[in-house]
Amino acid sequence: MPELPDVEVFRQYLSATALHKTISRTRVQSREVLQGISPAGMGRKLKGRRFADTRRHGKHLFVAIEEDGWLHLHFGMTGFLKYHKDPETGSAHPRVRFLFENGYRLDFDNQRMLGEVGIVDDVDRAVERMELGPDALDISSATFIHRYEDRRGGIKSALMNQEAMAGIGNIYADEVLFQAGIHPLDRVRDLGAEVLNDLHGAMRRVLKTAIDRQADPDEFPDAFIIPRRKAGATCPRCKETIKKIKVNGRGTFVCTACQPPPG
DNA sequence: AGTACCACCTGACGGC
DNA sequence: TGCCGTCAGGTGGTAC
């Protein structure tokens, strides 16, 4: 699930639920997801402290630990957060749990364990170390054009490259390209500054709309292609049949009428 | 610099 | 019902 809009919704959720509450203990159910810290180390770092603030960069979420560093959460393909009180109705795969003195807990659920939980001292340095590009909602049109105009290769893989720009994954890349009327296999170099500028605008609109709708495809506008990610669905714009292709090994949905394939 | 392919994990789904 | 291949909204390594 988690691309930029999903992680932004997680950030807002955590901010609304788990900030400023004293942590009584942590429970690590699957230590494979811990990065660079032991379960005991995690417990020592958090016990008796409170989460104080949140930041997001691309698909990464950071949670300030009162006066001492940041919790770093990365969700992989299957992660989400759940703040709840009842151990019975909690999440199905809670890999790490943060228990609060008020009886609630925040679960880091991560079915496939492709996510990561760690501690970092400084968010900016962590972003630098992971070699993440500018956040897709922060990047200006000028920087966007600058970073892409000389790239070789296809536009979809470029949008998904987290070093070029952070936050876009397989699903939202398809949506952004659909909204911009650009085929995922178009060569970046052939697009030109004007088209890149349009693409940047389409990207901002898609991301903001998705966040407005809580990243819930059921709430997306009719003009979005995300809720129609299945072979044989019809294009919301022209009613042609949506095609499924592979781009860099990833399932990719296109309307070849609205997104003409490269020559 | 890009891409193709495999790997990491767990689970759902369709075909036989 | 059971087994099997395939696929999945992420990322990293390696080989070309």
Side-chain angles (χ1 to χ4, degrees), chain A residues 165-179:
Chain A
M165 178 179 73
I168 302 292
N170 193 44
I171 295 296
Y172 283 95
D174 281 4
E175 186 66 62
V176 169
L177 290 168
F178 174 72
Q179 296 300 330

Side-chain angles (χ1 to χ4, degrees), chain A residues 27 29 82-94 97 103-105 107 109:
Chain A
R27 240 192 256 162
Q29 320 272 35
K82 172 119 178 171
Y83 180 79
H84 66 102
K85 198 176 183 129
D86 182 357
E88 299 301 312
T89 62
S91 61
H93 318 277
R97 305 185 120 150
Y104 280 79
R105 60 198 70 199
D107 286 352
D109 189 289

Side-chain angles (χ1 to χ4, degrees), chain A residues 92-241:
Chain A
H93 318 277
R95 305 304 183 185
V96 182
R97 305 185 120 150
F98 307 94
L99 284 67
F100 300 96
E101 284 186 347
N102 67 2
Y104 280 79
R105 60 198 70 199
L106 180 69
D107 286 352
F108 175 81
D109 189 289
N110 205 242
Q111 182 205 113
R112 288 172 66 187
M113 297 199 287
L114 300 173
E116 294 174 4
V117 176
I119 299 284
V120 300
D121 290 333
D122 181 271
V123 173
D124 293 332
R125 259 184 289 161
V127 165
E128 205 173 307
R129 181 162 29 78
M130 293 186 287
E131 301 182 315
L132 298 175
D135 184 82
L137 267 183
D138 279 346
I139 194 171
S140 69
S141 174
T143 306
F144 182 87
I145 292 167
H146 179 71
R147 290 187 83 109
Y148 284 100
E149 63 187 349
D150 284 331
R151 284 187 83 89
R152 290 188 280 150
I155 183 62
K156 181 173 178 181
S157 53
L159 288 175
M160 289 176 64
N161 183 323
Q162 302 298 298
E163 288 182 45
M165 178 179 73
I168 302 292
N170 193 44
I171 295 296
Y172 283 95
D174 281 4
E175 186 66 62
V176 169
L177 290 168
F178 174 72
Q179 296 300 330
I182 296 171
H183 193 280
L185 290 173
D186 273 357
R187 304 288 95 182
V188 182
R189 272 185 168 170
D190 298 340
L191 295 179
E194 216 167 295
V195 172
L196 285 175
N197 184 57
D198 293 345
L199 181 58
H200 174 263
M203 177 178 77
R204 289 189 66 82
R205 284 193 297 278
V206 165
L207 295 176
K208 289 185 162 202
T209 302
I211 292 166
D212 272 354
R213 314 292 169 98
Q214 296 291 296
D216 177 358
D218 291 343
E219 303 295 327
F220 285 180
D222 291 341
F224 270 38
I225 198 178
I226 286 177
R228 303 158 190 257
R229 291 181 71 79
K230 41 196 168 227
T234 52
C235 170
R237 186 179 299 144
C238 76
K239 310 301 176 198
E240 285 293 308
T241 303

Side-chain angles (χ1 to χ4, degrees), chain A residues 11-144:
Chain A
R11 188 192 69 73
Q12 294 173 5
Y13 176 77
L14 194 154
S15 289
T17 57
L19 287 196
H20 314 305
K21 288 164 181 150
T22 304
I23 299 162
S24 53
R25 52 180 298 210
T26 60
R27 240 192 256 162
V28 176
Q29 320 272 35
S30 306
R31 62 180 302 155
E32 302 95 296
V33 304
L34 289 190
Q35 287 300 305
I37 191 163
S38 66
M42 178 72 70
R44 279 194 297 275
K45 193 82 180 173
L46 290 171
K47 186 179 161 71
R49 293 226 170 77
R50 292 175 289 192
F51 293 135
D53 195 8
T54 55
R55 276 181 67 183
R56 181 192 55 71
H57 190 103
K59 306 171 188 174
H60 295 260
L61 179 57
F62 300 91
V63 188
I65 303 160
E66 209 174 32
E67 294 168 16
D68 189 21
W70 297 74
L71 180 71
H72 171 212
L73 302 175
H74 187 241
F75 295 89
M77 289 178 85
T78 55
F80 62 93
L81 298 172
K82 172 119 178 171
Y83 180 79
H84 66 102
K85 198 176 183 129
D86 182 357
E88 299 301 312
T89 62
S91 61
H93 318 277
R95 305 304 183 185
V96 182
R97 305 185 120 150
F98 307 94
L99 284 67
F100 300 96
E101 284 186 347
N102 67 2
Y104 280 79
R105 60 198 70 199
L106 180 69
D107 286 352
F108 175 81
D109 189 289
N110 205 242
Q111 182 205 113
R112 288 172 66 187
M113 297 199 287
L114 300 173
E116 294 174 4
V117 176
I119 299 284
V120 300
D121 290 333
D122 181 271
V123 173
D124 293 332
R125 259 184 289 161
V127 165
E128 205 173 307
R129 181 162 29 78
M130 293 186 287
E131 301 182 315
L132 298 175
D135 184 82
L137 267 183
D138 279 346
I139 194 171
S140 69
S141 174
T143 306
F144 182 87

